[in-house]
Amino acid sequence: MTAVIVLGPSGLATARRVRDALPGAALHGFGPRVAEGAVAFAEVGAHLRALFASGTPIVGVCAAGVLIRACAPLLADKEAEPPVVAVAEDGSVAVPLLGGHRGANELARRVAAALGGVAAITTAGDLRLGFALDDPPPGWRLADAAAVKPVTAALLAGEPVGLAVETAEADCAWLRRAPFAADGPVRLRVTDRAVAGASDTVVLHPATLAVGVGCERGAPADDLVALVRRALAEAGLAAGSVACVASIALKAAEPAVHEAAAALGVPARFFDAAALAAETPRLANPSDLVFRETGCYGVAEGAALAAAGPAATLVVAKTRSARATCAVARSPRVIDAAAVGRARGRLCIVGIGPGEAAGRTAEAEAALAAATDLVGYRLYLDLLGGLAAGKARHGFELGEEDARARLALDLAAAGRSVALVSSGDPGVYAMASLVFELVERAALSLSKGADDPGWARVELVVLPGVSAMQVAAARVGAPLGHDFCAISLSDLLTPWAAIERRLRAAAAGDFVVALYNPVSRRRRTQLGLA
């Protein structure tokens, strides 16, 4: 998540435009001078150094010297440093200061394009060749960085350097801007084959392969990972050219599928049975048994072909292990994994604390920044300020908790990344328990023949927040330093008799008691009774 730094009100308008132009970016404001900021900080140097040390890309709407002086003590390995870009307050220029070949040059170009300014690129390779071999575009991977420097130096010196393109010919326009020699020794090779590296040859792997997988429920992740690696190795294919691991939507919650994708460093994508059934004419091993169980004639082969596209060929037919299957398809073009199938939906139930930006955790802010959709009580969404920019907002009134939880689950089941926003902590008299209850009820209904809403396949994450009782306790000292309990005085869902029993038990036990929901417009007597 890119941090957009603004130090004063004069740069705030530009900083907002930068944030809005970078998906997932968050505004970090210098607290004493900037009233608005997704993340407030008091010490400029310490905050910048913490971001840099954590590998967070930084775009500072400030003088370049501020960023240089703050990060200088941490400079050690240029291969590991995150991008750092300085932007003029008027948006006229974006200067990549560090991490030019780790995304800073491209980040500066994107910022400059959004602001109508100029990207001040100073890297020789980018300027004269139009690209950096050690920072290829999305969909390309460098097999080994060792040969980048000598090959780049040879190109810049005008020495004859040959280019061999074995796949993804149509996507090599970015490379062909360089002066490659038709009769020069091949020192740059584009291939999806696993080839031995050479000290004088750069090997680039375009993402032209899709791995399709299937597995039994609860299959060991190690088994599937080993199967995928073996299938690629036996076919002589490069893991670096795999764009995604694909499967049927029924397997979206299987840990083994996600472990296989993580092992290759690619996303997992999923297709419904109808999409895989459409691939039947291209399958090498159609199966009536698989059709009876899933609604398609082949999961691994069908998913690989569906992900690789209509012009793809099956290069590894279905291969098996004890509890899993794997197949590989090759596309003639680079595969955009984000555009095929859909991701497993994710629902983060996020606690935003008492409401102020300073009371939110970094984990909660990261989840909010990564979400495509925000669901919650309208006031809670308003409290997010800049963190809600560019998100689909689904606001509800008080009393519509069931409806908002259902919508959040439906959106996540459709493959969206959703944040269900609660104030305080979502597990304390808030939305988390309701979501889990709805998922359990849906699973029970499904076992009785009801339609499948897909909620069980959603990744559920609960991110805690600072609760009201913690804030109240901090104002008065440390009353929660020993045994304590919390009791809600709302009798909307709990009979007052039950609440009264709990109050008496807490008093008898000499507990410190945090009373939640003491009054409302309609409930005026409960606090006095308690």
Side-chain angles (χ1 to χ4, degrees):
M1 180 174 67
T2 301
V4 180
I5 307 296
V6 58
L7 303 182
S10 58
L12 185 55
T14 297
R16 289 188 187 126
R17 292 174 65 194
V18 172
R19 175 201 63 198
D20 294 345
L22 302 175
L27 194 63
H28 292 232
F30 180 49
R33 294 180 187 166
V34 180
E36 176 191 331
V39 180
F41 59 91
E43 296 291 335
V44 177
H47 188 67
L48 288 170
R49 283 188 289 276
L51 290 170
F52 188 85
S54 69
T56 301
I58 298 170
V59 178
V61 182
C62 60
V66 172
L67 301 174
I68 293 170
R69 284 191 296 273
C71 298
L74 303 180
L75 299 184
D77 180 7
K78 73 174 186 177
E79 301 299 326
E81 64 195 21
V84 178
V85 176
V87 178
E89 285 191 348
D90 63 359
S92 59
V93 63
V95 186
L97 301 175
L98 296 167
H101 287 181
R102 292 295 174 268
N105 289 345
E106 180 58 27
L107 186 57
R109 290 188 183 101
R110 291 171 62 190
V111 170
L115 300 179
V118 175
I121 308 297
T122 59
T123 311
D126 279 40
L127 287 173
R128 292 176 55 190
L129 302 178
F131 59 80
L133 286 176
D134 55 356
D135 185 25
W140 295 76
R141 284 186 181 178
L142 183 66
D144 186 351
V148 167
K149 183 179 261 186
V151 171
T152 300
L155 285 168
L156 292 174
E159 298 174 10
V161 174
L163 169 66
V165 177
E166 300 172 11
T167 187
E169 171 67 49
D171 297 301
C172 288
W174 68 280
L175 281 172
R176 296 198 179 281
R177 287 178 289 184
F180 290 104
D183 56 352
V186 172
R187 298 187 64 184
L188 198 154
R189 184 176 175 186
V190 175
T191 182
D192 58 14
R193 309 290 300 176
V195 296
S199 60
D200 63 346
T201 303
V202 172
V203 176
L204 284 171
H205 294 309
T208 54
L209 304 177
V211 173
V213 298
C215 63
E216 296 178 8
R217 181 177 298 178
D222 290 349
D223 179 47
L224 183 55
V225 171
L227 175 64
V228 170
R229 291 198 183 280
R230 185 169 71 249
L232 291 169
E234 290 178 353
L237 299 172
S241 276
V242 175
C244 62
V245 170
S247 190
I248 192 168
L250 291 172
K251 298 298 177 183
E254 281 295 332
V257 177
H258 296 280
E259 287 290 335
L264 296 175
V266 299
R269 307 296 293 185
F270 300 92
F271 297 86
D272 59 31
L276 299 190
E279 300 295 336
T280 303
R282 298 202 288 169
L283 301 183
N285 299 283
S287 168
D288 291 332
L289 175 60
V290 172
F291 178 78
R292 287 194 295 272
E293 293 181 351
T294 67
C296 68
Y297 286 93
V299 171
E301 291 182 353
L305 288 164
T313 56
L314 195 64
V315 290
V316 177
K318 180 171 67 175
T319 182
R320 298 174 178 274
S321 66
R323 301 181 63 185
T325 59
C326 169
V328 183
R330 173 187 283 133
S331 168
R333 301 292 303 267
V334 170
I335 300 169
D336 178 5
V340 301
R342 70 186 188 199
R344 180 190 185 188
R346 188 170 195 255
L347 174 55
C348 285
I349 311 169
V350 181
I352 61 170
E356 297 176 341
R360 291 195 292 265
T361 68
E363 185 180 37
E365 289 180 344
L368 292 166
T372 57
D373 296 73
L374 303 177
V375 180
Y377 174 42
R378 294 183 194 279
L379 174 60
Y380 298 162
L381 300 186
D382 291 341
L383 290 174
L384 297 178
L387 274 177
K391 314 290 183 183
R393 290 177 46 144
H394 309 273
F396 289 80
E397 299 303 325
L398 285 177
E400 298 177 323
E401 288 78 13
D402 189 89
R404 77 176 88 144
R406 288 178 180 276
L407 176 63
L409 284 164
D410 285 340
L411 290 168
R416 309 283 288 178
S417 179
V418 184
L420 179 58
V421 180
S422 291
S423 66
D425 186 290
V428 180
Y429 303 116
M431 298 298 296
S433 59
L434 175 57
V435 169
F436 281 95
E437 288 171 9
L438 288 173
V439 172
E440 289 176 4
R441 270 188 257 156
L444 182 61
S445 298
L446 184 61
S447 69
K448 297 178 179 178
D451 290 338
D452 182 6
W455 294 353
R457 294 189 289 275
V458 169
E459 180 187 7
L460 288 178
V461 180
V462 181
L463 300 181
V466 179
S467 70
M469 67 181 174
Q470 289 173 300
V471 175
R475 296 291 187 269
V476 299
L480 307 183
H482 207 283
D483 296 334
F484 65 92
C485 67
I487 299 175
S488 171
L489 299 185
S490 172
D491 56 1
L492 291 176
L493 298 176
T494 305
W496 177 254
I499 297 172
E500 188 171 284
R501 283 197 304 273
R502 292 167 188 173
L503 287 165
R504 291 184 183 280
D510 195 27
F511 285 93
V512 172
V513 184
L515 298 177
Y516 273 78
N517 304 313
V519 295
S520 70
R521 289 178 182 176
R522 290 177 293 177
R523 294 181 293 102
R524 313 300 297 177
T525 62
Q526 282 83 349
L527 181 58
L529 290 171

